[in-house]
Amino acid sequence: MEQNPYDDREPYASYTDGGEFSHQSLINSQFYYKTSEDATSGMLRVGENRDNGIAALYQTAGTVHANSNYPIIGQSTNASATGLHFSLYQLSGSTKAYIVGSGGANGLYMATADYNDAVLEIQENSPDTVLFCSDIRLGSSSGYSSNAHVQQASGTIYATTITTPTAAKAGYEYGYTLSDGNLFAGAITNTPMTFIGGTMAFETSNTSLTNDGGTLEIYGNLASALQKETYTYALFAAGNTPGYTTYGTSTVTGDYVQKNGTLALDYHAGTPTNSDKLAATNIALEGGKVLVRSSLYANHTGLESFDGLDGNITSSATVQASMSGWKWKLDTTTGTLSTDMKTWNPTTQTTIADGDYLTLYSTSKFAGSFNMTGGYLTGRFYMGTDTADFTMNQSGGTTLLNQTSYWAVLLESGTSGRQAIWNLSNDAKFYVFDNQSYNGEDRRMNIGKGYLGKITIADNVVFHADAVGLGVNNGSSYYGRGIVEQSGGEAYYHLLRMYTRKESVGTSDPSSYTLTDGRLVVRKLESYAPDTSATIQPLFQLQGGTATIVESNMSLVNDGSTIQIQSVGDILDDFRYLNDGDETTDRPLGFTNIGTMDVTGTFTQNRGIIEFEIDSETLLDTLNASEGIFLNGGDLFVEYLGEEILAEGTTFAIFGESPSVTFGELFNTLVSNREGTQFWQLNTWGATYVGSEIAVPEPASWLLLVLGLGYFLKRRWA
């Protein structure tokens, strides 16, 4: 016979798995009941009409809907009985229970008779367990000689109120222990709370609260959202969350003492009066941390603050932000939390260095020469004026430009032959994103509006953008010239739009992107002509480095780069490179080896390399050029990656649906992989595997080279 886990003197007298308890559960002395059944109506009573022993209801799965007068844990009609009186309602596994009342009592009443201790428990390792109660009442206003306790070690409990009546009998223990899981309560009344872990949220508590290891979250509208009339069983059964709001106030009548754990405050940027607040008579932040969270998408103006605490405040806790680049400080005399960020004033500050956290949101136009060696710069701004140049030399730190409408940053440079230049080198990071729509083509970084805008990207730099426009052609007065010169680093674009341009800015030089070294990835490359009268076409120049271009609506010429065909998917989704934790970190971009390169127009290779990788007959790199492929020079490598033994003579359609492939006079159509271990014969419809050993052609046609990777065959360039 099994032992009672709460009193080793009391064995289980019976054990039931399943069964009906939807009408009224009368679980008598020395009885243990286990269920995984659904119960959709009726009354839930655990431990009624018994003399002594233990009554326990273990719910391990299923959904209970108890909707009647006086749902109870622990009631006895025999006060003179001797022995153990103990009632337990334990939830575990994926249990769901919705317990409300239709009459004079709502939710669960616990320990409503003499000598009848009651426990409500959610076991550890049951994160999917959910309990909704109109209220939880510990003890009775009649002052019975019993103990009542809630022990939550997992799962989620929603309760409109958690109440201990003021007439509960002295000398007995009533309380709630939260060690893990989530507790949402409208009001906590006269109830001792032991808060050592998990997450708690409430609107009001009329007793002091000590946080010794949990997280106190603050929400609004909790009390009304948890009313049974508002949050119905149907919503609950469907898995819906009560409709409380993100921002709100938690009020403690007494003291809030934090020895460990976290106080989390959400800051609603732009409307600080609607942000989170903790109000208490005394707030003693003795340990743990205060975590301030604000939307990174919001347009901060610098030195912002909000009154996140209200009371007599003492603090030795750490105040931190939930995202990189933000720091907050706490004024204990007022409860005000303020950012340490400084508003950048280019008229007085010429260098951004480590420790500087700057924000700027302005339509003002700045000019001058500035340096950024470290720190963090965010916002939206214009650079360059009609009468003055702008230059930023960023050799370190992070620039993060977020956007809600139109341009994140405009290297404008006026209309009078001026220029705006941003030079990126060393460990500089530069991110531009649009928070409203993926591929925000009208919410981008524009380089060159009035005259000349320019970006240079050197070694070790990371440049990452949703959308960048080179030059501006809006069909009216702006026909700017935009230039990007990449000699190193990494640059990633979802959309790289290159505008046609009129000569009205005083030069016939086109907008251009030039790659001489480094890594370039473009999801969509586009030549764009909203004004058909513009005659100057942009230049996209591949002269070195490594490039991956998924889609281009303009013809491409390779004059020295290594073209890698890869699948990149949505690599430029907002913050692919950033996380929302305490540090800015690089994330893997998730490239796959096999991909497609689609060119509307021609693809021409004069110098450089194009690489094709093959996994199977249906999974292989392909190059599609709608007006034909011209291989005049350079190298072409084909590599089989599959595990199956490749038969000689197998042909793969690496040129996809291209209508024609033309090989230059000096381009021998026999190629290899980089290691020179696989050899292929090219033809207009693809690549045919020749084998791993072939005779080397005459020196007049071939040159045998030795590289660090081994021997490979390469065509001769005249």
Side-chain angles (χ1 to χ4, degrees), residues 464-499:
H464 186 174
D466 274 355
V468 168
L470 294 185
V472 174
N473 178 354
N474 63 359
S476 58
S477 57
Y478 299 114
Y479 298 91
R481 181 187 179 206
I483 296 174
V484 177
E485 295 178 351
Q486 183 179 349
S487 60
E490 305 171 36
Y492 303 90
Y493 305 87
H494 176 78
L495 173 67
L496 179 57
R497 175 174 285 180
M498 307 183 69
Y499 285 83

mmCIF file of all heavy atoms in Angstrom, residues 464-499:
data_model
loop_
_atom_site.group_PDB
_atom_site.id
_atom_site.type_symbol
_atom_site.label_atom_id
_atom_site.label_comp_id
_atom_site.label_asym_id
_atom_site.label_seq_id
_atom_site.Cartn_x
_atom_site.Cartn_y
_atom_site.Cartn_z
ATOM 1 N N HIS A 464 24.870 46.793 -42.472
ATOM 2 C CA HIS A 464 23.694 45.946 -42.601
ATOM 3 C C HIS A 464 22.475 46.835 -42.754
ATOM 4 O O HIS A 464 22.201 47.667 -41.895
ATOM 5 C CB HIS A 464 23.580 45.085 -41.340
ATOM 6 C CG HIS A 464 22.492 44.065 -41.388
ATOM 7 N ND1 HIS A 464 22.321 43.132 -40.408
ATOM 8 C CD2 HIS A 464 21.518 43.834 -42.286
ATOM 9 C CE1 HIS A 464 21.291 42.360 -40.708
ATOM 10 N NE2 HIS A 464 20.783 42.783 -41.833
ATOM 11 N N ALA A 465 21.734 46.651 -43.863
ATOM 12 C CA ALA A 465 20.636 47.574 -44.129
ATOM 13 C C ALA A 465 19.446 46.861 -44.742
ATOM 14 O O ALA A 465 19.599 45.963 -45.562
ATOM 15 C CB ALA A 465 21.108 48.687 -45.062
ATOM 16 N N ASP A 466 18.262 47.294 -44.328
ATOM 17 C CA ASP A 466 17.059 46.830 -45.005
ATOM 18 C C ASP A 466 17.031 47.347 -46.436
ATOM 19 O O ASP A 466 16.783 46.601 -47.372
ATOM 20 C CB ASP A 466 15.819 47.333 -44.280
ATOM 21 C CG ASP A 466 15.404 46.425 -43.141
ATOM 22 O OD1 ASP A 466 16.021 45.368 -42.990
ATOM 23 O OD2 ASP A 466 14.483 46.788 -42.403
ATOM 24 N N ALA A 467 17.215 48.664 -46.584
ATOM 25 C CA ALA A 467 17.113 49.273 -47.908
ATOM 26 C C ALA A 467 18.029 50.486 -47.974
ATOM 27 O O ALA A 467 18.063 51.306 -47.055
ATOM 28 C CB ALA A 467 15.682 49.676 -48.205
ATOM 29 N N VAL A 468 18.767 50.594 -49.070
ATOM 30 C CA VAL A 468 19.655 51.723 -49.313
ATOM 31 C C VAL A 468 19.386 52.230 -50.726
ATOM 32 O O VAL A 468 19.284 51.442 -51.670
ATOM 33 C CB VAL A 468 21.137 51.327 -49.161
ATOM 34 C CG1 VAL A 468 22.043 52.425 -49.701
ATOM 35 C CG2 VAL A 468 21.465 51.065 -47.696
ATOM 36 N N GLY A 469 19.243 53.552 -50.849
ATOM 37 C CA GLY A 469 19.104 54.171 -52.159
ATOM 38 C C GLY A 469 20.339 54.977 -52.498
ATOM 39 O O GLY A 469 20.769 55.820 -51.711
ATOM 40 N N LEU A 470 20.921 54.715 -53.666
ATOM 41 C CA LEU A 470 22.083 55.467 -54.134
ATOM 42 C C LEU A 470 21.601 56.538 -55.099
ATOM 43 O O LEU A 470 21.111 56.242 -56.191
ATOM 44 C CB LEU A 470 23.095 54.557 -54.828
ATOM 45 C CG LEU A 470 23.777 53.509 -53.956
ATOM 46 C CD1 LEU A 470 24.841 52.759 -54.752
ATOM 47 C CD2 LEU A 470 24.410 54.153 -52.744
ATOM 48 N N GLY A 471 21.768 57.802 -54.676
ATOM 49 C CA GLY A 471 21.219 58.894 -55.459
ATOM 50 C C GLY A 471 19.730 58.997 -55.210
ATOM 51 O O GLY A 471 19.084 58.058 -54.752
ATOM 52 N N VAL A 472 19.155 60.157 -55.495
ATOM 53 C CA VAL A 472 17.718 60.354 -55.343
ATOM 54 C C VAL A 472 17.171 60.885 -56.661
ATOM 55 O O VAL A 472 17.693 61.832 -57.232
ATOM 56 C CB VAL A 472 17.401 61.339 -54.198
ATOM 57 C CG1 VAL A 472 15.906 61.631 -54.152
ATOM 58 C CG2 VAL A 472 17.871 60.766 -52.874
ATOM 59 N N ASN A 473 16.115 60.249 -57.129
ATOM 60 C CA ASN A 473 15.425 60.731 -58.313
ATOM 61 C C ASN A 473 13.944 60.630 -58.013
ATOM 62 O O ASN A 473 13.345 59.569 -58.120
ATOM 63 C CB ASN A 473 15.781 59.866 -59.530
ATOM 64 C CG ASN A 473 15.034 60.300 -60.780
ATOM 65 O OD1 ASN A 473 14.173 61.156 -60.727
ATOM 66 N ND2 ASN A 473 15.372 59.687 -61.893
ATOM 67 N N ASN A 474 13.370 61.722 -57.559
ATOM 68 C CA ASN A 474 11.958 61.690 -57.202
ATOM 69 C C ASN A 474 11.088 62.420 -58.209
ATOM 70 O O ASN A 474 9.959 62.784 -57.924
ATOM 71 C CB ASN A 474 11.743 62.252 -55.794
ATOM 72 C CG ASN A 474 12.155 63.718 -55.698
ATOM 73 O OD1 ASN A 474 12.609 64.299 -56.673
ATOM 74 N ND2 ASN A 474 11.972 64.310 -54.529
ATOM 75 N N GLY A 475 11.649 62.648 -59.398
ATOM 76 C CA GLY A 475 10.857 63.259 -60.455
ATOM 77 C C GLY A 475 10.612 64.735 -60.268
ATOM 78 O O GLY A 475 9.788 65.320 -60.964
ATOM 79 N N SER A 476 11.331 65.365 -59.341
ATOM 80 C CA SER A 476 11.133 66.807 -59.150
ATOM 81 C C SER A 476 12.496 67.484 -59.163
ATOM 82 O O SER A 476 13.188 67.452 -60.179
ATOM 83 C CB SER A 476 10.367 67.072 -57.858
ATOM 84 O OG SER A 476 11.054 66.530 -56.740
ATOM 85 N N SER A 477 12.906 68.056 -58.027
ATOM 86 C CA SER A 477 14.125 68.866 -58.034
ATOM 87 C C SER A 477 15.350 68.125 -57.530
ATOM 88 O O SER A 477 16.444 68.692 -57.517
ATOM 89 C CB SER A 477 13.908 70.120 -57.181
ATOM 90 O OG SER A 477 13.542 69.756 -55.863
ATOM 91 N N TYR A 478 15.198 66.878 -57.060
ATOM 92 C CA TYR A 478 16.331 66.196 -56.455
ATOM 93 C C TYR A 478 16.842 65.098 -57.376
ATOM 94 O O TYR A 478 16.126 64.152 -57.685
ATOM 95 C CB TYR A 478 15.935 65.593 -55.103
ATOM 96 C CG TYR A 478 15.490 66.625 -54.109
ATOM 97 C CD1 TYR A 478 14.179 66.648 -53.659
ATOM 98 C CD2 TYR A 478 16.383 67.587 -53.634
ATOM 99 C CE1 TYR A 478 13.766 67.597 -52.746
ATOM 100 C CE2 TYR A 478 15.971 68.534 -52.728
ATOM 101 C CZ TYR A 478 14.660 68.539 -52.290
ATOM 102 O OH TYR A 478 14.259 69.489 -51.393
ATOM 103 N N TYR A 479 18.070 65.243 -57.793
ATOM 104 C CA TYR A 479 18.718 64.237 -58.633
ATOM 105 C C TYR A 479 20.138 64.053 -58.121
ATOM 106 O O TYR A 479 21.108 64.458 -58.736
ATOM 107 C CB TYR A 479 18.721 64.663 -60.104
ATOM 108 C CG TYR A 479 17.335 64.809 -60.672
ATOM 109 C CD1 TYR A 479 16.669 66.026 -60.632
ATOM 110 C CD2 TYR A 479 16.684 63.709 -61.204
ATOM 111 C CE1 TYR A 479 15.389 66.153 -61.133
ATOM 112 C CE2 TYR A 479 15.396 63.819 -61.718
ATOM 113 C CZ TYR A 479 14.753 65.054 -61.676
ATOM 114 O OH TYR A 479 13.483 65.164 -62.168
ATOM 115 N N GLY A 480 20.252 63.482 -56.941
ATOM 116 C CA GLY A 480 21.544 63.382 -56.297
ATOM 117 C C GLY A 480 22.374 62.226 -56.830
ATOM 118 O O GLY A 480 21.904 61.350 -57.543
ATOM 119 N N ARG A 481 23.618 62.233 -56.405
ATOM 120 C CA ARG A 481 24.567 61.186 -56.766
ATOM 121 C C ARG A 481 24.996 60.460 -55.502
ATOM 122 O O ARG A 481 25.425 61.082 -54.532
ATOM 123 C CB ARG A 481 25.785 61.790 -57.465
ATOM 124 C CG ARG A 481 26.821 60.750 -57.892
ATOM 125 C CD ARG A 481 28.061 61.434 -58.419
ATOM 126 N NE ARG A 481 29.074 60.457 -58.810
ATOM 127 C CZ ARG A 481 30.377 60.687 -58.833
ATOM 128 N NH1 ARG A 481 30.830 61.890 -58.498
ATOM 129 N NH2 ARG A 481 31.225 59.758 -59.192
ATOM 130 N N GLY A 482 24.882 59.129 -55.488
ATOM 131 C CA GLY A 482 25.271 58.336 -54.342
ATOM 132 C C GLY A 482 26.375 57.367 -54.695
ATOM 133 O O GLY A 482 26.363 56.743 -55.770
ATOM 134 N N ILE A 483 27.341 57.221 -53.779
ATOM 135 C CA ILE A 483 28.499 56.364 -54.026
ATOM 136 C C ILE A 483 28.740 55.485 -52.804
ATOM 137 O O ILE A 483 28.684 55.955 -51.667
ATOM 138 C CB ILE A 483 29.768 57.200 -54.296
ATOM 139 C CG1 ILE A 483 29.610 58.026 -55.571
ATOM 140 C CG2 ILE A 483 31.006 56.302 -54.408
ATOM 141 C CD1 ILE A 483 30.773 58.973 -55.808
ATOM 142 N N VAL A 484 29.012 54.205 -53.040
ATOM 143 C CA VAL A 484 29.531 53.324 -52.005
ATOM 144 C C VAL A 484 30.806 52.696 -52.532
ATOM 145 O O VAL A 484 30.821 52.123 -53.630
ATOM 146 C CB VAL A 484 28.529 52.214 -51.617
ATOM 147 C CG1 VAL A 484 29.164 51.284 -50.577
ATOM 148 C CG2 VAL A 484 27.247 52.811 -51.064
ATOM 149 N N GLU A 485 31.860 52.813 -51.745
ATOM 150 C CA GLU A 485 33.140 52.186 -52.084
ATOM 151 C C GLU A 485 33.470 51.174 -50.996
ATOM 152 O O GLU A 485 33.723 51.550 -49.855
ATOM 153 C CB GLU A 485 34.246 53.230 -52.198
ATOM 154 C CG GLU A 485 34.037 54.213 -53.343
ATOM 155 C CD GLU A 485 35.111 55.280 -53.411
ATOM 156 O OE1 GLU A 485 35.932 55.362 -52.445
ATOM 157 O OE2 GLU A 485 35.150 56.042 -54.387
ATOM 158 N N GLN A 486 33.424 49.893 -51.330
ATOM 159 C CA GLN A 486 33.680 48.833 -50.357
ATOM 160 C C GLN A 486 35.021 48.183 -50.671
ATOM 161 O O GLN A 486 35.179 47.528 -51.693
ATOM 162 C CB GLN A 486 32.565 47.782 -50.371
ATOM 163 C CG GLN A 486 32.768 46.703 -49.303
ATOM 164 C CD GLN A 486 31.670 45.671 -49.275
ATOM 165 O OE1 GLN A 486 30.630 45.838 -49.910
ATOM 166 N NE2 GLN A 486 31.885 44.578 -48.536
ATOM 167 N N SER A 487 35.964 48.351 -49.762
ATOM 168 C CA SER A 487 37.297 47.773 -49.926
ATOM 169 C C SER A 487 37.590 46.711 -48.874
ATOM 170 O O SER A 487 38.734 46.276 -48.736
ATOM 171 C CB SER A 487 38.356 48.873 -49.856
ATOM 172 O OG SER A 487 38.309 49.543 -48.605
ATOM 173 N N GLY A 488 36.584 46.294 -48.145
ATOM 174 C CA GLY A 488 36.768 45.279 -47.113
ATOM 175 C C GLY A 488 35.487 45.128 -46.319
ATOM 176 O O GLY A 488 34.420 45.656 -46.667
ATOM 177 N N GLY A 489 35.567 44.406 -45.204
ATOM 178 C CA GLY A 489 34.426 44.257 -44.316
ATOM 179 C C GLY A 489 33.314 43.409 -44.909
ATOM 180 O O GLY A 489 33.495 42.665 -45.874
ATOM 181 N N GLU A 490 32.120 43.573 -44.329
ATOM 182 C CA GLU A 490 30.937 42.839 -44.752
ATOM 183 C C GLU A 490 29.803 43.824 -44.945
ATOM 184 O O GLU A 490 29.574 44.687 -44.105
ATOM 185 C CB GLU A 490 30.517 41.812 -43.697
ATOM 186 C CG GLU A 490 31.600 40.844 -43.287
ATOM 187 C CD GLU A 490 31.158 40.003 -42.093
ATOM 188 O OE1 GLU A 490 29.967 39.660 -42.013
ATOM 189 O OE2 GLU A 490 32.007 39.710 -41.244
ATOM 190 N N ALA A 491 29.075 43.680 -46.046
ATOM 191 C CA ALA A 491 27.929 44.545 -46.315
ATOM 192 C C ALA A 491 26.764 43.671 -46.762
ATOM 193 O O ALA A 491 26.915 42.816 -47.638
ATOM 194 C CB ALA A 491 28.264 45.578 -47.386
ATOM 195 N N TYR A 492 25.593 43.887 -46.121
ATOM 196 C CA TYR A 492 24.403 43.088 -46.397
ATOM 197 C C TYR A 492 23.233 44.030 -46.677
ATOM 198 O O TYR A 492 22.969 44.947 -45.904
ATOM 199 C CB TYR A 492 24.060 42.198 -45.200
ATOM 200 C CG TYR A 492 25.183 41.276 -44.793
ATOM 201 C CD1 TYR A 492 26.131 41.681 -43.860
ATOM 202 C CD2 TYR A 492 25.294 40.005 -45.340
ATOM 203 C CE1 TYR A 492 27.173 40.839 -43.493
ATOM 204 C CE2 TYR A 492 26.321 39.157 -44.974
ATOM 205 C CZ TYR A 492 27.257 39.579 -44.038
ATOM 206 O OH TYR A 492 28.276 38.739 -43.682
ATOM 207 N N TYR A 493 22.532 43.777 -47.769
ATOM 208 C CA TYR A 493 21.399 44.614 -48.149
ATOM 209 C C TYR A 493 20.216 43.726 -48.510
ATOM 210 O O TYR A 493 20.371 42.744 -49.241
ATOM 211 C CB TYR A 493 21.727 45.468 -49.377
ATOM 212 C CG TYR A 493 22.964 46.325 -49.248
ATOM 213 C CD1 TYR A 493 24.225 45.813 -49.569
ATOM 214 C CD2 TYR A 493 22.883 47.647 -48.828
ATOM 215 C CE1 TYR A 493 25.363 46.592 -49.464
ATOM 216 C CE2 TYR A 493 24.019 48.440 -48.718
ATOM 217 C CZ TYR A 493 25.260 47.900 -49.031
ATOM 218 O OH TYR A 493 26.386 48.673 -48.923
ATOM 219 N N HIS A 494 19.044 44.107 -48.014
ATOM 220 C CA HIS A 494 17.861 43.465 -48.572
ATOM 221 C C HIS A 494 17.540 44.087 -49.925
ATOM 222 O O HIS A 494 17.273 43.388 -50.892
ATOM 223 C CB HIS A 494 16.662 43.610 -47.645
ATOM 224 C CG HIS A 494 15.413 43.050 -48.239
ATOM 225 N ND1 HIS A 494 15.149 41.710 -48.265
ATOM 226 C CD2 HIS A 494 14.380 43.643 -48.880
ATOM 227 C CE1 HIS A 494 14.009 41.495 -48.888
ATOM 228 N NE2 HIS A 494 13.524 42.657 -49.267
ATOM 229 N N LEU A 495 17.561 45.400 -49.988
ATOM 230 C CA LEU A 495 17.325 46.114 -51.243
ATOM 231 C C LEU A 495 18.438 47.132 -51.434
ATOM 232 O O LEU A 495 18.662 47.986 -50.579
ATOM 233 C CB LEU A 495 15.970 46.832 -51.215
ATOM 234 C CG LEU A 495 15.688 47.758 -52.404
ATOM 235 C CD1 LEU A 495 15.530 46.950 -53.690
ATOM 236 C CD2 LEU A 495 14.459 48.616 -52.152
ATOM 237 N N LEU A 496 19.120 47.053 -52.551
ATOM 238 C CA LEU A 496 20.108 48.059 -52.952
ATOM 239 C C LEU A 496 19.579 48.688 -54.228
ATOM 240 O O LEU A 496 19.624 48.084 -55.299
ATOM 241 C CB LEU A 496 21.482 47.429 -53.167
ATOM 242 C CG LEU A 496 22.602 48.380 -53.602
ATOM 243 C CD1 LEU A 496 22.791 49.517 -52.596
ATOM 244 C CD2 LEU A 496 23.910 47.621 -53.799
ATOM 245 N N ARG A 497 19.022 49.878 -54.075
ATOM 246 C CA ARG A 497 18.389 50.564 -55.213
ATOM 247 C C ARG A 497 19.320 51.648 -55.731
ATOM 248 O O ARG A 497 19.749 52.531 -54.979
ATOM 249 C CB ARG A 497 17.051 51.161 -54.779
ATOM 250 C CG ARG A 497 16.385 51.994 -55.842
ATOM 251 C CD ARG A 497 14.994 52.430 -55.401
ATOM 252 N NE ARG A 497 14.059 51.322 -55.491
ATOM 253 C CZ ARG A 497 12.772 51.436 -55.169
ATOM 254 N NH1 ARG A 497 12.295 52.576 -54.708
ATOM 255 N NH2 ARG A 497 11.968 50.399 -55.294
ATOM 256 N N MET A 498 19.600 51.602 -57.037
ATOM 257 C CA MET A 498 20.508 52.561 -57.679
ATOM 258 C C MET A 498 19.684 53.387 -58.671
ATOM 259 O O MET A 498 19.126 52.860 -59.637
ATOM 260 C CB MET A 498 21.643 51.823 -58.377
ATOM 261 C CG MET A 498 22.368 50.857 -57.447
ATOM 262 S SD MET A 498 23.764 50.024 -58.222
ATOM 263 C CE MET A 498 24.893 51.392 -58.422
ATOM 264 N N TYR A 499 19.623 54.692 -58.424
ATOM 265 C CA TYR A 499 18.742 55.558 -59.202
ATOM 266 C C TYR A 499 19.435 56.098 -60.451
ATOM 267 O O TYR A 499 20.618 56.453 -60.446
ATOM 268 C CB TYR A 499 18.299 56.743 -58.346
ATOM 269 C CG TYR A 499 17.259 56.397 -57.322
ATOM 270 C CD1 TYR A 499 17.614 55.855 -56.095
ATOM 271 C CD2 TYR A 499 15.919 56.610 -57.581
ATOM 272 C CE1 TYR A 499 16.659 55.532 -55.153
ATOM 273 C CE2 TYR A 499 14.945 56.292 -56.640
ATOM 274 C CZ TYR A 499 15.323 55.757 -55.429
ATOM 275 O OH TYR A 499 14.375 55.435 -54.493
#
